[in-house]
Amino acid sequence: MFIKKYNRLRNFPILLVILVIFITGCSNKAKEQDNTADKDQSKVVTFSMTGDIGDLNPHTYFPNEFFSQAMVYESLVYYGKGGEIQPWLAESWDISKDGKEYVFHLRKDVEFSDGSKFNAAIVKKNFDTILDNRKQHEWVELINQIKNTEALDEYTFKLTLHNSYYPTLQELTYIRPLRFVGEAAFPDSQDTFKDGLKSQIGTGPWVLSEYKKNEFAVFTRNERYWGTKPKVDKVVVKVITDGESRVLAFEKNELDFIFGNGVISQDSFQFLKDSGKYETKLSEPTATRTLLFNTNKEATKDHKVRLALNYAFNKQAVIDNIFYGMEKKADTLFPPVLEHTKIDINPYDYDVAKAEQLLDEAGWKKVEGKPFREKDGKELQLEFLFNSTDNIQKSIAEFVQGDYRKLGIDIRLTSQETNTFWTTAFQGNYDILFTSTWAVPFDPHSYLASITTDSENGGPDYTALLGLPEKKEIDEKIKKVLLTTDEKERKMLYTDILSTLHDRAVYLPISYQSNVAVYHKNISGLDFLPQEAEVPLTTIDVE
């Protein structure tokens, strides 16, 4: 009896320890469950893009994506609805009477994501590293016009120009390159273009928190953000290069929304819309889908051949069969709703007989028993370059191939992924290039300015138009229109420039493109922003 009691008492401490461990374990498990519950309560949205976000450097270009740069970095002023220039990192500004001096009064409540101050000194430092690489950025005419930068005091920054340049504020809204990184982001050389960033430190509403190249990027809300904070806690961006794969991922709830231009085919958009399961939106027209003809190539340097290609393109068939009537036919290089872009021209209406006549006159004759026209024993073969990740470009390219074949033109399709595509485009290794204008705030002035420079970060148009006899004259007029202070003269010059480009038939406008949005019914706040490339991640919410 005593022995049994002793054994029970001897085992009591052991039992007590086990009980404490059990209770503690339950408590820890409960805490873990609470933490998991807290994590589950965080709001996360997932969408996809066709390519990698790049190294998130606002002072460089490819492979950086506009939308991701805009998530992390901000500008002095913002391009608002209807083209209104709104205060942003600068709360106000003064412009001298001669239009050559801009004094910006900076916000005093802004910090970079690492807690460092945003002030005039860091604004000047960012401007100066950009200006040290002017050649890389000269497609932005403002870069060429900047004479001097000054930090007048801690929160006052002054920009002095060589000339009065009317689009100054507009170009300061661009997503790149005139945006700001924190001091700790600068490389030891201080050259952000050549040596990149040490880290991605911006003032924007998002911070890159996880990244796997060519697979995904995770952004978390910047809790130091000075403005209205995003409604969701985290954004996951998946890389999905194929449009159909993107649709399947969306249908399986792996994506919360689809957003952008060319990210899915119009056929897929219509299918998702007609299903009634999802919300869909189509933006107002933004830019112009267009084909660009290389005036340096044997066939397309001929004005009559370019005219024939314009007359032979059945735009209405593309609108009806590929766009389901959702986009409007384009006859001018820029949407006529933009300032200075409404011009009176004779459009190149679909006219196969006219196209055949022009090809005959150019010496490209049909040969009995052969499918393609010939000139001096050589077939009329044109290389058509398009972006393989853009689903709409692929559909139109295949349509063009079939339609032009009826005229005796052999269209060889070349599809390349984004980075390779642009390298080939800038090298001029094509006859026909699928491209588009840049939308606001770039159109029309910056797009036209890029025609005058061979900057590899502008557009391929400079090289493509070198074969035009009028190229020098066009360039001079573009440079003049950007500097004139006479509104009447400005309007006259824009009309002259755009009319000449139309008459020379170097572009084949197809339609005025729009962004699409498809999202699940638990998503709200997904609206289109003034800049086409921006994704509305600060207003979006998920239930």
Side-chain angles (χ1 to χ4, degrees):
M1 184 81 173
F2 174 78
I3 295 174
K4 288 181 180 179
K5 185 177 180 181
Y6 170 77
N7 286 339
R8 286 199 297 272
L9 291 171
R10 186 180 64 181
N11 291 335
F12 180 75
I14 298 173
L15 294 171
L16 183 62
V17 170
I18 293 171
L19 182 62
V20 170
I21 292 173
F22 175 76
I23 292 171
T24 303
C26 290
S27 176
N28 288 339
K29 188 173 182 180
K31 287 180 180 178
E32 288 175 6
Q33 289 175 341
D34 287 343
N35 289 337
T36 302
D38 288 341
K39 289 179 181 177
D40 289 342
Q41 288 173 5
S42 66
K43 293 184 177 183
V44 181
V45 291
T46 302
F47 73 108
S48 78
M49 282 294 178
T50 57
D52 188 71
I53 63 168
D55 60 5
L56 269 185
N57 184 345
H59 302 160
T60 59
Y61 301 88
F62 303 112
N64 286 295
E65 293 286 346
F66 274 118
F67 83 91
S68 53
Q69 289 171 309
M71 292 173 69
V72 177
Y73 308 104
E74 296 183 298
S75 50
L76 289 175
V77 289
Y78 184 77
Y79 190 87
K81 289 183 178 179
E84 179 189 5
I85 304 299
Q86 300 175 350
W88 211 250
L89 293 178
E91 59 185 3
S92 64
W93 54 90
D94 303 310
I95 306 172
S96 64
K97 288 184 178 180
D98 65 3
K100 295 181 181 180
E101 294 180 354
Y102 287 73
V103 176
F104 295 92
H105 306 283
L106 308 181
R107 294 186 184 276
K108 299 176 182 178
D109 57 345
V110 178
E111 292 182 351
F112 285 96
S113 57
D114 67 345
S116 60
K117 276 188 177 182
F118 172 80
N119 54 30
I122 197 66
V123 169
K124 176 176 169 54
K125 185 168 184 173
N126 274 263
F127 264 83
D128 289 349
T129 191
I130 293 164
L131 295 174
D132 284 343
N133 292 283
R134 284 179 192 261
K135 180 64 179 175
Q136 306 298 332
H137 309 297
E138 64 180 3
W139 64 272
V140 182
E141 181 58 29
L142 176 59
I143 298 293
N144 305 318
Q145 293 299 325
I146 295 175
K147 180 179 180 180
N148 191 38
T149 63
E150 297 176 73
L152 300 182
D153 59 38
E154 188 173 7
Y155 293 105
T156 310
F157 173 72
K158 182 179 179 181
L159 200 60
T160 304
L161 309 180
H162 292 291
N163 300 284
S164 175
Y165 181 60
Y166 89 89
T168 294
L169 292 175
Q170 192 163 325
E171 294 192 3
L172 288 173
T173 69
Y174 291 178
I175 292 172
R176 59 190 184 206
L178 295 169
R179 294 204 175 190
F180 309 101
V181 301
E183 180 68 42
F186 278 79
D188 293 338
S189 67
Q190 307 302 304
D191 191 326
T192 56
F193 187 90
K194 293 178 181 175
D195 298 319
L197 304 180
K198 282 186 175 180
S199 56
Q200 296 84 13
I201 302 171
T203 62
W206 300 100
V207 177
L208 182 66
S209 57
E210 191 178 351
Y211 169 68
K212 190 168 184 180
K213 188 174 182 179
N214 293 323
E215 290 190 27
F216 67 86
V218 179
F219 294 85
T220 51
R221 184 170 55 206
N222 178 10
E223 298 302 337
R224 297 181 186 274
Y225 187 50
W226 63 273
T228 303
K229 291 183 174 61
K231 296 179 180 179
V232 299
D233 304 284
K234 187 184 294 184
V235 173
V236 179
V237 186
K238 295 183 178 180
V239 177
I240 302 177
T241 57
D242 176 63
E244 297 311 309
S245 299
R246 183 172 292 107
V247 171
L248 289 174
F250 176 76
E251 290 181 304
K252 291 192 292 185
N253 287 305
E254 294 172 4
L255 302 177
D256 291 298
F257 65 91
I258 294 171
F259 186 93
N261 179 265
V263 289
I264 59 174
S265 67
Q266 296 286 26
D267 185 58
S268 294
F269 177 79
Q270 195 66 33
F271 167 77
L272 294 171
K273 180 180 180 180
D274 292 343
S275 73
K277 298 178 182 178
Y278 315 107
E279 300 291 341
T280 61
K281 285 183 179 179
L282 190 69
S283 77
E284 291 296 316
T286 56
T288 309
R289 300 183 195 279
T290 182
L291 303 185
L292 172 62
F293 301 127
N294 191 342
T295 62
N296 303 293
K297 293 292 185 176
E298 182 179 355
T300 48
K301 71 180 179 183
D302 191 322
H303 182 219
K304 289 184 178 180
V305 171
R306 298 195 303 269
L307 283 171
L309 294 172
N310 269 273
Y311 280 115
F313 191 97
N314 192 344
K315 296 179 187 180
Q316 197 57 52
V318 169
I319 300 296
D320 294 340
N321 300 316
I322 296 178
F323 294 128
Y324 295 87
M326 290 186 292
E327 292 194 4
K328 293 182 179 180
K329 182 165 70 77
D331 290 316
T332 54
L333 181 58
F334 299 106
V337 295
L338 300 179
E339 190 175 16
H340 305 120
T341 60
K342 189 173 183 180
I343 58 173
D344 292 324
I345 48 96
N346 293 316
Y348 300 118
D349 294 325
Y350 183 53
D351 189 335
V352 175
K354 181 71 172 176
E356 289 186 330
Q357 178 189 334
L358 286 163
L359 289 174
D360 286 339
E361 291 174 3
W364 294 100
K365 305 287 188 177
K366 287 184 175 179
V367 180
E368 189 174 349
K370 293 186 178 182
F372 304 115
R373 291 173 178 267
E374 292 184 5
K375 180 179 181 180
D376 300 328
K378 187 175 181 179
E379 287 186 341
L380 180 51
Q381 182 182 104
L382 305 177
E383 184 174 359
F384 188 153
L385 177 64
F386 67 95
N387 191 329
S388 62
T389 63
D390 189 309
N391 293 268
I392 294 173
Q393 287 191 16
K394 181 176 184 292
S395 298
I396 295 176
E398 290 172 348
F399 173 87
V400 168
Q401 185 182 48
D403 231 27
Y404 280 5
R405 185 184 178 89
K406 299 172 187 176
L407 279 143
I409 304 173
D410 182 15
I411 299 293
R412 296 295 179 93
L413 300 183
T414 300
S415 65
Q416 296 177 343
E417 60 85 27
T418 303
N419 290 339
T420 307
F421 167 84
W422 285 114
T423 298
T424 305
F426 278 101
Q427 291 171 346
N429 296 328
Y430 62 86
D431 294 287
I432 305 173
L433 178 71
F434 206 127
T435 185
S436 67
T437 60
W438 298 348
V440 296
F442 304 95
D443 289 347
H445 74 279
S446 273
Y447 189 92
L448 292 176
S450 73
I451 292 174
T452 70
T453 173
D454 61 352
S455 172
E456 63 184 29
N457 298 307
D461 308 53
Y462 172 82
T463 301
L465 271 60
L466 282 175
L468 280 182
E470 304 90 348
K471 177 70 165 61
K472 185 178 179 180
E473 182 184 348
I474 292 170
D475 288 357
E476 289 174 352
K477 288 179 179 178
I478 291 172
K479 290 175 181 178
K480 187 175 181 180
V481 76
L482 296 175
L483 298 181
T484 183
T485 57
D486 186 326
E487 179 60 29
K488 186 177 180 181
E489 182 184 34
R490 185 180 300 152
K491 184 177 180 180
M492 181 189 70
L493 283 167
Y494 270 119
T495 299
D496 192 2
I497 294 163
L498 295 176
S499 297
T500 300
L501 291 174
H502 174 79
D503 292 342
R504 302 318 296 162
V506 287
Y507 296 96
L508 194 165
I510 300 171
S511 65
Y512 301 122
Q513 69 184 30
S514 298
N515 270 348
V516 300
V518 184
Y519 50 103
H520 294 284
K521 293 184 181 290
N522 65 326
I523 297 293
S524 61
L526 203 159
D527 296 314
F528 300 108
L529 295 173
Q531 291 207 44
E532 181 190 43
E534 285 190 284
V535 181
L537 296 168
T538 55
T539 57
I540 198 169
D541 202 358
V542 57
E543 294 180 4

